[in-house]
Every structure is written in structure tokens, then in C-alpha cells.
Amino acid sequence: MASHASAAFVIPASAAPVNQPSSSVSLPAALPCRALSSLSATSPTLTSLSRQCARQFPRSTGSARAAAATPVRAMAGGDGSEPSGRIIRGKCFVLEDNIDTDQIIPAEYLTLVPSNPDEYEKLGSYAMAGLPAKHTLRYVQKGQMKTEYAIIIGGANFGCGSSREHAPVALGAAGCRAVVAESYARIFFRNCVATGELYPVETAEGLRLCEVIKSGDDVTVDLEHDLLIHHTTGKQYTLKPIGEAGPVIDAGGIFNFARQSGMIAQKA
């Protein structure tokens, strides 16, 4: 099994801050996962935790933590299939550039509280409810709580717009396991990692899968070998390594990761 635990946790250089296209942003090439500094910008608790991570793991590779990680909610898809590690197979839902968080989960549903199990499930039923009318295919069918599309294929600047954490949570609640896009809005990428809801995976430079794959196609996202396999055509496409974001998502988010790493106390 290939491992990327020793790689730096990269906030993609192409990831853009809220409401800005990725081309207008210059970010550090890599931010260490053990500092988790990229996840702490809006939360004093996360800021404190990131400092604790930096002290405890100044140069740790994180491989032991990755091996001990428990399955993440993102790996339990809505289609009933059984995941195997970081290999995710299922139907894909294909979108274009600049899918914003209001399209992912409209503001009217932000009153739902994800920590409430019933409201978490309900939140998933509204995932992608804000897509424009040109999208005749629904991500979650009316009357259903889960999607049949375990994987979303997007273009550039996926997750732009507001910083609402509900966006990746709604996708995860619906049964999405991974988004594969050309680039991400920076805060959406952070929120995916912090919540542990799904894997935000980038395509190789210049690769626009949203133009070669269709909704409903059968694909596999193989995060162990950094490949997307398009079973409909038999072609394989290279993905960028998830890096040290992987163990945090594997654990179910930043706080579960910190508990498993012994940085904060386990729940009683």
C-alpha cells in the first residue's frame, strides 16, 4: 500500500480564498499537518489545538497515526457499497467550474444543526439543492435522504462563496465520499479536512475531468495510488496526493485526529 503520510499537508496552491478565483491567489506551497495552521483561522479552539500539534509533532511523519486511524464518516457512502481503505468506487456526479457553497447547501437550511443526528441526515437531503435550473439531474432525489453518487467531479474553484462549514457536512451526510476537482476555494478545502466529511482531491495540472466524464459514470478514486479510474472507458487519470490531510480525514476530522494522537483527552 502506498502511503503519503510523510508528505506535507498541502493547502493546494491553486486553492482560492472565498469569492476569489484560484488564479489570483499566491499561497505557501505546503503547510504542515502537524501544525494544522490552515484549519485554525476562524476558531480560537482550533488555533490552540494547532499550537499543541506543532509542539507535539514538530517533525513527525504521521504514518503511525494514519495506520491507527478509524474509518471516517466519509467512507460510509449512501449507495450501500463497502469501502476498502482509501479506495472509493461508485457513480459520479459531474459539475462545472465555480460551484459555490450556496449551491452546495442554500442558506435557508443552515438552521439545521449537524450535531443532531436527525438534522444531520436531513441536511444531507438538501445537498446540492441550490444548483441552477439547468441542472436537471438531482444530486439527491426528492423524498430521499441519501445520494446515489458517492463521488463528485468538479472543475476549478470548487466550494467558492461563503465559508459555511455546512457545505462539506451536507455532502458527507448525503453520502458523498470524495470530491475530485481541478482546484478548490481554500476555506472549503479546510472545512473538508477539519470536519473529516470527505476527501477533497485535486486532479493533475491541466486535467479537467469534468469535460471527459459524465454524471452516472462508474469511477474509482484510488487514494492509495493517486488515480481515478474511469470504468466506463477503462482510462486512468492521475490525481495529486492527498498528503497529510489524509490521516486527519481518516480519523473523522481534526478533533478526532487530536484525540487519537493524544493531544486532547478522549471523550468519557
Side-chain angles (χ1 to χ4, degrees), residues 106 130 175 191 248:
N191 286 340
V248 182

Short mmCIF file of all heavy atoms in Angstrom, two decimals, residues 106 130 175 191 248:
data_model
loop_
_atom_site.label_atom_id
_atom_site.label_comp_id
_atom_site.label_asym_id
_atom_site.label_seq_id
_atom_site.Cartn_x
_atom_site.Cartn_y
_atom_site.Cartn_z
N PRO A 106 -28.04 25.66 0.30
CA PRO A 106 -28.61 27.01 0.38
C PRO A 106 -28.74 27.50 1.82
O PRO A 106 -28.91 26.72 2.76
CB PRO A 106 -29.98 26.85 -0.27
CG PRO A 106 -29.81 25.69 -1.21
CD PRO A 106 -28.88 24.75 -0.49
N GLY A 130 -29.16 23.92 -4.28
CA GLY A 130 -29.09 25.26 -4.85
C GLY A 130 -28.53 25.32 -6.26
O GLY A 130 -28.28 26.42 -6.77
N GLY A 175 -23.87 11.23 1.67
CA GLY A 175 -23.19 10.01 1.26
C GLY A 175 -22.05 10.23 0.30
O GLY A 175 -21.50 9.27 -0.25
N ASN A 191 -12.42 23.19 5.46
CA ASN A 191 -13.58 22.64 6.15
C ASN A 191 -13.76 21.15 5.88
O ASN A 191 -14.22 20.40 6.75
CB ASN A 191 -14.84 23.41 5.74
CG ASN A 191 -14.93 24.78 6.37
OD1 ASN A 191 -14.27 25.06 7.38
ND2 ASN A 191 -15.73 25.66 5.79
N VAL A 248 -5.99 13.05 8.88
CA VAL A 248 -6.98 13.86 9.61
C VAL A 248 -8.38 13.47 9.16
O VAL A 248 -9.29 13.29 9.98
CB VAL A 248 -6.73 15.37 9.40
CG1 VAL A 248 -7.74 16.19 10.22
CG2 VAL A 248 -5.31 15.74 9.81
#
